[in-house]
Amino acid sequence: MKQGPDRGDFVDIRRAPRTAQPRRSGNASRGSFTSRCGTNQNGHHNPDNFIVAPGVSNGAHHIHDYVGNLSTDGFSTDESLAAAGTTCAGGDKSAYFWPVMRVRAQRDDSGQARQSEADGNVGRVVAPASARMQFLGNARGKVTPMPPFLRVITGDAKAGTNGTANARAQWTCTGFADRALTDKYPLCPRGSRVTRVLDFPSCWDGRNTDSANHRDHIVFPGRSGRARQARGRCRDCG
């Protein structure tokens, strides 16, 4: 098992590719909103993923930060999520979660330290300086409100071995939002912070809140802003 990145896995952010943006049509929806949910100040962590591995403890094999729904774990259901509280303003009970960041040279003193080490994840868990849950409009048309209990995943936690076909995490630095990396990590100039961007698919099929592979019911738009798959009828491409 590879223990962490090599020197060649890092690139000066000023040499990173520029991020592509779709051209907006006259029907574009230009609005956006942000759900303010904090940065996991309450220390809600576990290695579960109730979407990909429901009913399983340590189903993710890596620790998640959680904001939003206060009850989220591997055994969450629609009913348990609906009954729980939330860290988000405005009553947003969505369950937002992402893999934690670590400082590998420091010690993991968390409750999951032993399990994390067994999974090859070591180092002190670092709290994010900020976390933004932002919903954007679409370059080609209007958007549709999401249905309750919609399941959406992004990326591939095992992209290092599976390849980059489903890799979606982008790495950039504050002050360099027009540049990003997906297969390497950025070296940021002094005063700039490392930023991880997790972009989620937005073209919903208009019927299903989940699918067998958790991907077919909601897909990424292509460069034009439209759904890239025929079965992904673009009801919500925001």
Side-chain angles (χ1 to χ4, degrees):
M1 178 183 296
K2 180 181 177 182
Q3 295 296 319
D6 301 318
R7 179 173 296 184
D9 293 327
F10 294 87
V11 173
D12 187 320
I13 188 60
R14 287 163 290 205
R15 295 172 53 197
R18 294 191 181 276
T19 54
Q21 299 295 330
R23 295 183 61 183
R24 293 183 181 273
S25 73
N27 295 323
S29 52
R30 301 174 184 273
S32 68
F33 74 90
T34 299
S35 190
R36 293 175 171 80
C37 303
T39 58
N40 194 21
Q41 294 94 325
N42 56 324
H44 184 179
H45 295 109
N46 62 55
D48 303 347
N49 188 325
F50 74 92
I51 298 176
V52 176
V56 178
S57 295
N58 194 39
H61 297 285
H62 55 257
I63 302 296
H64 285 130
D65 266 321
Y66 289 89
V67 298
N69 201 284
L70 291 169
S71 69
T72 316
D73 61 19
F75 301 90
S76 292
T77 63
D78 291 352
E79 292 74 21
S80 68
L81 293 170
T86 181
T87 68
C88 298
D92 179 2
K93 293 190 176 186
S94 301
Y96 301 104
F97 52 99
W98 55 84
V100 298
M101 298 282 287
R102 294 176 179 269
V103 177
R104 289 180 55 83
Q106 298 179 12
R107 181 174 176 175
D108 183 356
D109 292 320
S110 71
Q112 295 92 7
R114 183 173 297 179
Q115 182 62 62
S116 295
E117 185 174 358
D119 290 330
N121 302 311
V122 298
R124 179 176 63 87
V125 173
V126 180
S130 63
R132 182 172 59 180
M133 270 50 68
Q134 187 177 34
F135 297 80
L136 304 174
N138 176 255
R140 306 300 298 179
K142 296 182 179 181
V143 299
T144 299
M146 291 185 292
F149 308 117
L150 180 68
R151 264 67 166 165
V152 190
I153 64 172
T154 190
D156 184 349
K158 299 177 176 61
T161 54
N162 292 344
T164 59
N166 286 318
R168 285 289 173 178
Q170 293 184 330
W171 297 89
T172 185
C173 305
T174 54
F176 295 86
D178 62 334
R179 295 182 180 273
L181 300 154
T182 56
D183 59 348
K184 295 184 184 298
Y185 302 104
L187 295 172
C188 302
R190 185 179 298 275
S192 177
R193 290 180 178 270
V194 174
T195 302
R196 178 173 50 177
V197 179
L198 299 173
D199 188 24
F200 281 75
S202 57
C203 289
W204 176 48
D205 68 6
R207 298 181 301 275
N208 302 295
T209 57
D210 201 357
S211 50
N213 63 0
H214 314 296
R215 298 182 190 273
D216 287 345
H217 66 299
I218 185 166
V219 300
F220 283 95
R223 291 186 179 181
S224 69
R226 298 187 183 279
R228 295 189 302 175
Q229 299 176 10
R231 60 184 166 183
R233 184 160 51 92
C234 195
R235 286 285 301 279
D236 178 5
C237 288

